[in-house]
Amino acid sequence: MIDINNIVIIGLGDMGKGIAQVCLMAGYNVSAVDTNYEILNKGVDYIKSGFEKLKKKGKLQEGLSVGDYLSKLKTTSDLIEAVKDADLVIEAVSENLDLKQKICKTVIDNSLDHCILASNTSSLSITEIAKNCGKPNNVIGIHFSNPAPLMRLIEVIKGDTSSQKSMDTGVEISKSLPCLRGERYVVRVLKDRPGFILNRVLSPSSIYTNYIIDLAYEKGIPWEQVDADLTRPNTPMSALILSDFVGLDITYNVQLYYAEKLSPDYKPGKVLTKQVEQGKLGKKTGQGYYDWSKGRPNPDLSKKAGLVNREVFTAITTNEGCRILEEGLVSGWKIIDEVILAGMNFQGPMKYATKNHNQLKKLLEETAKKLGKSYLKPCNLLISGKFIDMK
Ligand code: NAI
């Protein structure tokens, strides 16, 4: 494992600023690089106010002031200069393969031999990002959830060319980064596949959600009632408010991405496509499933449409969990449940599935037939029940 003192964060946008904060909280020297000065300044303000809040709560390390933490933060737009003495570089620039490949090459060409480059990409392949750089062994994925100071999960991803040493260092560093809401949970993702673990196991639920939304639209059922159906109990935001909040264009593009990489069955539904074509993207445009023009909507969720069988979501997530076990992204089902708990704050389905896999298998067969979506058919590991032995 490599000794890490100096960390460079490239891109101080939504993700980068939170990542920079947790690195400072852990005591590392941090250089933040962004091409946009306004974003650099805003990022520093965010970090400063984060530490002020910690001070008020008495959560700063004894004997250290806000100024002590901030004295370890530098900002610059000069990437080459910033990475000269870096031990670890975390890139959180915009999601664009060309840009990330260029950054990767520049970092590896201008940094010390041992320097590791970690990409925070949500969807791009770590292997592809590393492809054109001189030391692909030094490139890994470190995928934070948003915002990094509050979300417990970090996925550390092994690209096809990442070395064991780079992976071990990535895992150790990630474990050293504090989380303000409970214990940090760091998982090794053993294969470079779309969505890594968390996003991947949750992804095919969108196939069922699209079906429900299109069906409700055809029947003229109000969105409030569909929302009441789709919303998981005890969640801070209802399902359709969350969609509007994230942006329907984001959901649409994610589904297109999985349609290309995993199965055409992920193709966005009719309603989602229409909303995006009409520019009804949710909160940011003032209209999505709900009207946001007067602020956050407060829908009445007391009446359900009665279209959703929640056990179908359990079956679909279990099936995808079994698929990633088959593909070797992860070695046991317990890890999948832990990842879902750390990343989403709800119980994963795998433990339940060990006792109920025959029933889930049958439900998947029926659902695949009813929706005409073969991707939802049970995979071999679920059919055989052999995943139960993969703890
Ligand atoms: P963002 O758009 O908020 O920030 C990207 C930043 O990169 C911007 O400040 C931009 O000025 C900067 N940038 C662009 N080109 C640059 C360059 N050549 N050199 C230096 N800085 C440059 O994007 P966000 O949401 O922070 O996402 C960043 C990465 O994190 C993406 O790969 C995304 O997929 C990933 N991610 C995003 C999550 C989210 O919820 N937003 C969650 C987990 C990962």
Side-chain angles (χ1 to χ4, degrees):
M1 142 112 196
I2 296 155
D3 207 17
I4 304 282
N5 295 302
N6 301 329
I7 299 183
V8 172
I9 315 288
I10 315 177
L12 206 60
D14 279 345
M15 289 308 294
K17 61 191 180 186
I19 300 170
Q21 184 184 331
V22 290
C23 291
L24 288 166
M25 284 166 70
Y28 298 109
N29 300 317
V30 173
S31 273
V33 184
D34 204 297
T35 41
N36 182 326
Y37 283 105
E38 201 183 322
I39 288 184
L40 269 183
N41 291 335
K42 276 192 187 153
V44 172
D45 288 347
Y46 168 94
I47 295 166
K48 197 170 166 194
S49 96
F51 278 109
E52 298 285 2
K53 278 185 206 147
L54 288 176
K55 185 185 163 196
K56 271 195 200 135
K57 288 184 185 161
K59 285 192 173 169
L60 293 186
Q61 212 180 305
E62 222 181 296
L64 290 183
S65 67
V66 172
D68 290 333
Y69 284 99
L70 292 179
S71 68
K72 293 195 164 190
L73 173 65
K74 280 193 273 181
T75 57
T76 176
S77 59
D78 187 341
L79 176 61
I80 293 177
E81 183 60 29
V83 300
K84 262 186 183 163
D85 60 352
D87 302 307
L88 168 69
V89 176
I90 303 174
E91 75 74 16
V93 298
S94 325
E95 191 75 335
N96 174 309
L97 182 61
D98 266 0
L99 174 63
K100 286 187 192 275
Q101 283 179 330
K102 271 188 204 132
I103 296 249
C104 179
K105 189 169 170 7
T106 307
V107 169
I108 295 294
D109 283 351
N110 292 283
S111 58
L112 299 166
D113 236 21
H114 68 263
C115 178
I116 291 174
L117 176 88
S119 173
N120 184 48
T121 178
S122 299
S123 60
L124 300 170
S125 152
I126 305 301
T127 315
E128 283 290 309
I129 292 172
K131 204 168 76 179
N132 303 325
C133 82
K135 284 175 237 141
N137 292 359
N138 290 18
V139 181
I140 57 173
I142 299 189
H143 184 236
F144 292 81
S145 297
N146 189 9
L150 298 183
M151 301 303 292
R152 290 174 53 222
L153 178 67
I154 299 178
E155 294 172 279
V156 181
I157 304 116
K158 187 173 179 337
D160 294 355
T161 44
S162 316
S163 71
Q164 200 53 44
K165 192 166 151 194
S166 302
M167 278 298 286
D168 291 347
T169 308
V171 167
E172 284 312 307
I173 293 297
S174 301
K175 281 184 182 167
S176 75
L177 303 176
C179 172
L180 296 172
R181 272 201 206 139
E183 204 179 325
R184 186 63 76 193
Y185 182 82
V186 179
V187 65
R188 280 176 198 261
V189 185
L190 307 173
K191 286 257 175 73
D192 186 14
R193 297 277 295 135
F196 312 130
I197 298 175
L198 182 67
N199 289 339
R200 171 72 186 276
V201 293
L202 300 179
S203 64
S205 290
S206 66
I207 300 174
Y208 185 50
T209 303
N210 283 334
Y211 165 78
I212 296 292
I213 287 177
D214 287 354
L215 183 64
Y217 182 75
E218 270 171 35
K219 290 177 178 275
I221 296 172
W223 292 133
E224 283 85 348
Q225 291 180 25
V226 186
D227 202 4
D229 264 20
L230 289 171
T231 301
R232 178 179 280 280
N234 304 322
T235 38
M237 242 187 228
S238 73
L240 295 187
I241 293 227
L242 182 63
S243 285
D244 277 353
F245 186 82
V246 170
L248 300 194
D249 52 333
I250 304 273
T251 308
Y252 177 85
N253 286 325
V254 167
Q255 291 179 12
L256 280 184
Y257 168 77
Y258 286 124
E260 185 201 331
K261 299 284 175 187
L262 296 174
S263 158
D265 285 349
Y266 276 89
K267 233 175 93 221
K270 284 185 197 143
V271 171
L272 180 60
T273 305
K274 198 165 131 208
Q275 302 260 66
V276 171
E277 280 169 2
Q278 293 177 348
K280 294 178 180 169
L281 307 181
K283 186 185 171 199
K284 60 187 159 195
T285 60
Q287 179 70 51
Y289 293 105
Y290 294 113
D291 177 9
W292 289 73
S293 60
K294 294 183 194 74
R296 181 165 159 177
N298 188 17
D300 173 12
L301 301 182
S302 58
K303 191 165 174 236
K304 288 189 176 191
L307 300 177
V308 170
N309 175 358
R310 291 221 69 85
E311 185 85 345
V312 170
F313 283 120
T314 304
I316 291 175
T317 312
T318 301
N319 200 30
E320 205 62 10
C322 287
R323 280 212 183 91
I324 70 166
L325 283 167
E326 277 178 353
E327 289 174 21
L329 271 77
V330 65
S331 58
W333 61 259
K334 280 189 179 169
I335 299 174
I336 298 172
D337 276 354
E338 283 166 3
V339 166
I340 294 177
L341 189 62
M344 298 302 293
N345 233 358
F346 58 76
Q347 201 53 52
M350 301 306 289
K351 184 169 184 202
Y352 171 81
T354 59
K355 305 265 183 322
N356 300 282
H357 69 281
N358 280 326
Q359 165 193 327
L360 295 176
K361 185 182 82 178
K362 199 164 155 263
L363 187 56
L364 283 163
E365 275 156 2
E366 288 164 9
T367 308
K369 199 165 162 201
K370 186 164 140 196
L371 273 61
K373 300 283 189 184
S374 59
Y375 192 71
L376 300 183
K377 284 184 184 165
C379 68
N380 289 338
L381 202 57
L382 181 62
I383 293 172
S384 68
K386 285 191 177 149
F387 73 96
I388 298 169
D389 302 327
M390 300 171 76
K391 288 187 187 156

